[in-house]
Amino acid sequence: MKLSRNFISANSAMCELTAWVAAPYLRKNITLEKTPIKAEFSVCGLGFYRFWLDGKELTRGHMSPYISASDDVMDYDVYDLTEKLASGKLALGFQLGNGMQNAFGGYVWDFEQAAWRSAPKLAVCLTLTYDDGTTEEYEADESFVWAPSPVIFDDIRQGECYDANLEIPGWNLPDFDDSAWEHAHKTECPRGKSVVCAANPIREWTRLSPVSIKPQTRLTYAHCEQVDEGYLYDFGTNYAGIPLLRIKGEKGQKISMIFGEHIDENGDFKVDNIRFVRPEYYNLPLYIQRDEYTCKGDGVEEWSPAFTYHGFRYCLVTGITEEQAKEGLLTYIVMNTELAERGSFSCSDETLNRLQSMIRVSTLANFYHFPTDCPHREKNGWTADAALSTEHTLLNLEPENNYYEWMRHIRASMQDDGRIPGIVPTGGWGFAWGNGPAWDNILITLPYYVYRYRGDKKIVEESLTSLLRYVNYLTTRVDDRHLIAIGLGDWCAPYGPRSPLIFTDSVISMDICEKTAYLHEVCGKTAQAKFCREVADKFRAAVREHLIDWSNMTAIGEGTPTPGCETSQAMAIYYNIFTEEEKPAAYKVLLEKIHEQNDHLDTGVLGARVIFHVLSAFGDADLAYKIIVDPTYPSYGSFVARGETSLPEDFNHADQKVNSLNHHFFGDISAWFIKCICGINYNPDADDLTRADITPHFVTALSDAKAYHVCPHGKIEVDWVRGDNDTVTLNVTYPEGMHGRLVFPAGWVCAACGKTETDAKSGMFVLKRT
């Protein structure tokens, strides 16, 4: 299938915050003398496109084809049109949105300065094959014609404006008279590699009606004098998607919709927590997450934005009458990348169930082609956020196609010296700040965990060169002790990061090198594996020599009232800085650190990723559970207690600044639910895709728990229920052809045989205490 690099555009004018340019329609009529036996069609719309054939929309998904830096990678969608074409006249119709090609609303991250920034552009190739073996090709050229569409403003972050009075009936049909339209212009092809998009598309998966509609008498914005009054629609859950507006309005009536997630203590709708702004834009009308629709006054009108999306629970609608402010006015079309479910968890504790639901909401709301940090304020592919969530996402969902596609873009973003930016895609921002080993970790996390959970070597093989370059890059950034401190650290810790950057960066760098060595071994690259292993060993030795206080087995940290902290101690245990013989003593120190905090977290995202797994490994699943469900700050339970429906960015309490309420990087507790409470440990050593150990922990406060995960060999399912006389009934569904061990928790044995473990297999096991 040919991926044409012949691009056209309507003109060179670019939409700006201060100068709007409408999204163009483009069309071309083609007359076929006979019916082809095969018709393949490839399309690349930069930034986004919609595609119609003879008036019927065939676009693969919302915001197709992808979100990319076009000088790195250009994604193409491919369509099989064989069954849709016949001899005669046909019409190809397109609408182009700005997307990432002109992401002027992302000025906070310098996207308006991207070298590849341009007006939207289009490349297509229609390849026709006939029964006599001949072929024809049609590519984008000056024979295409264009006109402005009713989308008069669009930006992926700021929103979309639509004027229905500018609609052009029949514009995408074969018999439409386009003689007044202008001819398209040839334009420069970006430098990126042309690829067929491997990612699953973004699609609708449910619709929500409002749970309440209330008059909103006041909405003010920091640094902006604008005040809006209208009606506040509450949809109950903080998802991501687009609105569907249905209105019978007057001609010229303008409806404004502002989307957000936060209601303050006075019941007022606020958006400052999802708004970054530069001083030069303070006095502009509020753009972020704002859609506008101008009615044509012709009966009931329906509209949804095409080239943006929003993260929201609430929508403030202005410009409508009290009579129009009804339930049917607005519907929430919840969207995300199409990800099949591969796992889940539930139990007798409603707090854990709520947290599992919140993590699922945030994982999906932040999966638009690739994992983002938040679906409103930034919509950026922050690397650490995705790295921290990779394992729990693979346990619960099916993201591997999108991970594969995003990995292409991550590798392409790498500079010559081996460094990668903190956000992908980027227009150049994120190399000087916002990255470092804990963020760059995504480079190894994606191929490693996709291989571990899916057995896919393709993503591994294509990443080896970049991984080796990155390991070499790390060796150029170490100090004279072979330690490293170059990036961001234990982000979003409730009292500020207590684990020093030199500790977290050095430990994560060691882990990157170890995993890189392993993947090279998997692919038979022994010399490269040896090099990476040696670099990892140097990091471990340096951390042990300089960052561990051996007099009290404490990893360096700024704890109170004594030195050390939860993050450093948990990471030193989890990542094997301590040897197996040293770990029991080190674990006692971790418990001391936890008790100093009254059994609360003082970790940021790096510590939270590992601490609960460490507690369970040492038989303290009850303590892990207690920390998670505690309703007082700082804890996961406090999210539930205050009524959140998605996972917030941080543990901030009521007196602190409200930040994003829809992040996923604290979501690894979902993996802990599945792996520790229910004990599903698939391919635990990443070396055997036919192995799964079942190692549940019967948390005392729970009366039952169940989980499942679909691995490449089938569905693994575990549920356990407490019974009378201090017994637990454990039910296991285990795929044929797999092997592993079924290990009962300490202090429990099989009532029938007295064993503490057995070969993993399907069945019901009644366990009793010893």
CSV table of all heavy atoms in Angstrom, one decimal, residues 540 544 550 553 572-573 575-587 618:
chain,number,residue,atom,x,y,z
A,540,ARG,N,24.5,0.0,41.0
A,540,ARG,CA,24.2,-0.7,42.3
A,540,ARG,C,25.3,-0.5,43.3
A,540,ARG,O,25.1,-0.2,44.5
A,540,ARG,CB,23.9,-2.1,42.1
A,540,ARG,CG,23.6,-2.9,43.4
A,540,ARG,CD,23.3,-4.4,43.2
A,540,ARG,NE,21.9,-4.6,42.7
A,540,ARG,CZ,21.6,-4.9,41.5
A,540,ARG,NH1,22.6,-5.1,40.6
A,540,ARG,NH2,20.3,-5.0,41.1
A,544,ARG,N,25.0,1.5,46.9
A,544,ARG,CA,25.3,0.8,48.1
A,544,ARG,C,26.5,1.5,48.9
A,544,ARG,O,26.5,1.6,50.1
A,544,ARG,CB,25.7,-0.6,47.9
A,544,ARG,CG,24.5,-1.5,47.5
A,544,ARG,CD,24.9,-2.9,47.1
A,544,ARG,NE,25.6,-3.6,48.1
A,544,ARG,CZ,25.0,-4.3,49.1
A,544,ARG,NH1,23.7,-4.3,49.2
A,544,ARG,NH2,25.7,-4.9,50.1
A,550,TRP,N,24.9,2.0,56.5
A,550,TRP,CA,24.9,0.6,56.9
A,550,TRP,C,24.8,0.5,58.4
A,550,TRP,O,24.6,-0.7,58.9
A,550,TRP,CB,26.2,-0.1,56.3
A,550,TRP,CG,26.1,-0.2,54.8
A,550,TRP,CD1,26.7,0.6,53.9
A,550,TRP,CD2,25.3,-1.1,54.1
A,550,TRP,NE1,26.4,0.2,52.6
A,550,TRP,CE2,25.5,-0.8,52.7
A,550,TRP,CE3,24.3,-2.1,54.4
A,550,TRP,CZ2,24.8,-1.5,51.7
A,550,TRP,CZ3,23.7,-2.7,53.4
A,550,TRP,CH2,23.9,-2.4,52.1
A,553,MET,N,21.0,0.4,58.4
A,553,MET,CA,20.3,-0.2,57.2
A,553,MET,C,19.3,0.8,56.6
A,553,MET,O,18.2,0.4,56.1
A,553,MET,CB,19.6,-1.5,57.6
A,553,MET,CG,20.6,-2.6,58.1
A,553,MET,SD,21.8,-3.1,56.8
A,553,MET,CE,20.7,-4.0,55.7
A,572,ALA,N,14.8,0.8,47.7
A,572,ALA,CA,16.0,0.0,47.9
A,572,ALA,C,15.8,-1.5,48.1
A,572,ALA,O,16.5,-2.4,47.6
A,572,ALA,CB,16.8,0.5,49.1
A,573,ILE,N,14.6,-1.8,48.7
A,573,ILE,CA,14.2,-3.2,48.8
A,573,ILE,C,13.7,-3.8,47.5
A,573,ILE,O,14.1,-4.8,47.0
A,573,ILE,CB,13.2,-3.4,49.9
A,573,ILE,CG1,13.8,-3.0,51.3
A,573,ILE,CG2,12.6,-4.8,50.0
A,573,ILE,CD1,12.7,-2.8,52.4
A,575,TYR,N,14.0,-2.8,44.4
A,575,TYR,CA,14.9,-2.9,43.2
A,575,TYR,C,16.2,-3.6,43.6
A,575,TYR,O,17.2,-3.5,42.8
A,575,TYR,CB,15.2,-1.5,42.7
A,575,TYR,CG,14.1,-0.8,42.0
A,575,TYR,CD1,13.4,0.3,42.6
A,575,TYR,CD2,13.6,-1.3,40.8
A,575,TYR,CE1,12.3,0.9,42.0
A,575,TYR,CE2,12.5,-0.7,40.2
A,575,TYR,CZ,11.9,0.4,40.8
A,575,TYR,OH,10.8,1.0,40.2
A,576,ASN,N,16.2,-4.3,44.7
A,576,ASN,CA,17.4,-5.2,45.1
A,576,ASN,C,18.7,-4.4,45.3
A,576,ASN,O,19.7,-5.0,45.0
A,576,ASN,CB,17.5,-6.3,44.1
A,576,ASN,CG,16.3,-7.2,43.9
A,576,ASN,OD1,15.8,-7.6,45.0
A,576,ASN,ND2,15.9,-7.4,42.7
A,577,ILE,N,18.6,-3.2,45.8
A,577,ILE,CA,19.8,-2.6,46.3
A,577,ILE,C,20.3,-3.3,47.5
A,577,ILE,O,21.5,-3.6,47.6
A,577,ILE,CB,19.5,-1.1,46.7
A,577,ILE,CG1,19.1,-0.3,45.4
A,577,ILE,CG2,20.8,-0.5,47.3
A,577,ILE,CD1,20.1,-0.2,44.3
A,578,PHE,N,19.4,-3.7,48.4
A,578,PHE,CA,19.7,-4.6,49.5
A,578,PHE,C,19.7,-6.1,48.9
A,578,PHE,O,18.9,-6.4,48.1
A,578,PHE,CB,18.7,-4.5,50.6
A,578,PHE,CG,18.8,-3.2,51.3
A,578,PHE,CD1,17.7,-2.3,51.3
A,578,PHE,CD2,19.9,-2.8,52.1
A,578,PHE,CE1,17.7,-1.1,52.0
A,578,PHE,CE2,19.9,-1.6,52.8
A,578,PHE,CZ,18.9,-0.8,52.7
A,579,THR,N,20.6,-6.9,49.5
A,579,THR,CA,20.6,-8.3,49.1
A,579,THR,C,19.4,-9.0,49.8
A,579,THR,O,18.8,-8.4,50.8
A,579,THR,CB,21.9,-9.0,49.5
A,579,THR,OG1,22.0,-8.9,50.9
A,579,THR,CG2,23.1,-8.2,48.9
A,580,GLU,N,19.2,-10.2,49.5
A,580,GLU,CA,18.1,-11.0,50.1
A,580,GLU,C,18.4,-11.1,51.6
A,580,GLU,O,17.5,-11.1,52.4
A,580,GLU,CB,17.9,-12.4,49.5
A,580,GLU,CG,17.4,-12.3,48.1
A,580,GLU,CD,16.1,-11.6,48.0
A,580,GLU,OE1,15.2,-11.9,48.8
A,580,GLU,OE2,15.9,-10.8,47.1
A,581,GLU,N,19.7,-11.3,52.0
A,581,GLU,CA,20.0,-11.5,53.4
A,581,GLU,C,19.9,-10.1,54.1
A,581,GLU,O,19.6,-10.1,55.3
A,581,GLU,CB,21.5,-11.9,53.5
A,581,GLU,CG,21.8,-13.3,52.9
A,581,GLU,CD,21.8,-13.4,51.4
A,581,GLU,OE1,22.0,-12.3,50.8
A,581,GLU,OE2,21.6,-14.5,50.9
A,582,GLU,N,20.0,-9.0,53.4
A,582,GLU,CA,19.9,-7.7,54.1
A,582,GLU,C,18.5,-7.2,54.2
A,582,GLU,O,18.2,-6.3,55.0
A,582,GLU,CB,20.8,-6.7,53.3
A,582,GLU,CG,22.3,-7.0,53.4
A,582,GLU,CD,23.0,-6.2,52.3
A,582,GLU,OE1,22.4,-5.7,51.4
A,582,GLU,OE2,24.3,-6.3,52.3
A,583,LYS,N,17.6,-7.7,53.4
A,583,LYS,CA,16.3,-7.2,53.3
A,583,LYS,C,15.5,-7.2,54.5
A,583,LYS,O,14.7,-6.3,54.9
A,583,LYS,CB,15.5,-7.8,52.1
A,583,LYS,CG,15.9,-7.3,50.7
A,583,LYS,CD,15.1,-8.0,49.6
A,583,LYS,CE,15.6,-7.5,48.3
A,583,LYS,NZ,14.8,-8.1,47.2
A,584,PRO,N,15.5,-8.3,55.3
A,584,PRO,CA,14.7,-8.3,56.6
A,584,PRO,C,15.0,-7.1,57.5
A,584,PRO,O,14.1,-6.5,58.0
A,584,PRO,CB,15.0,-9.7,57.2
A,584,PRO,CG,15.4,-10.5,56.0
A,584,PRO,CD,16.1,-9.6,55.1
A,585,ALA,N,16.3,-6.8,57.6
A,585,ALA,CA,16.7,-5.7,58.5
A,585,ALA,C,16.2,-4.4,57.9
A,585,ALA,O,15.8,-3.5,58.6
A,585,ALA,CB,18.2,-5.7,58.8
A,586,ALA,N,16.4,-4.3,56.6
A,586,ALA,CA,16.0,-3.1,55.9
A,586,ALA,C,14.5,-2.9,55.9
A,586,ALA,O,14.0,-1.8,56.0
A,586,ALA,CB,16.5,-3.1,54.4
A,587,TYR,N,13.8,-4.0,55.9
A,587,TYR,CA,12.3,-3.9,56.0
A,587,TYR,C,11.8,-3.4,57.3
A,587,TYR,O,10.8,-2.7,57.4
A,587,TYR,CB,11.7,-5.3,55.7
A,587,TYR,CG,10.2,-5.3,55.7
A,587,TYR,CD1,9.5,-4.7,54.7
A,587,TYR,CD2,9.5,-5.9,56.7
A,587,TYR,CE1,8.1,-4.6,54.7
A,587,TYR,CE2,8.1,-5.9,56.7
A,587,TYR,CZ,7.4,-5.2,55.7
A,587,TYR,OH,6.0,-5.2,55.7
A,618,PHE,N,6.6,-9.1,52.3
A,618,PHE,CA,7.0,-9.5,53.7
A,618,PHE,C,5.8,-9.8,54.6
A,618,PHE,O,6.0,-9.8,55.8
A,618,PHE,CB,7.8,-8.3,54.2
A,618,PHE,CG,9.2,-8.2,53.7
A,618,PHE,CD1,9.5,-7.6,52.6
A,618,PHE,CD2,10.2,-8.9,54.4
A,618,PHE,CE1,10.8,-7.6,52.1
A,618,PHE,CE2,11.5,-8.8,53.9
A,618,PHE,CZ,11.8,-8.2,52.8
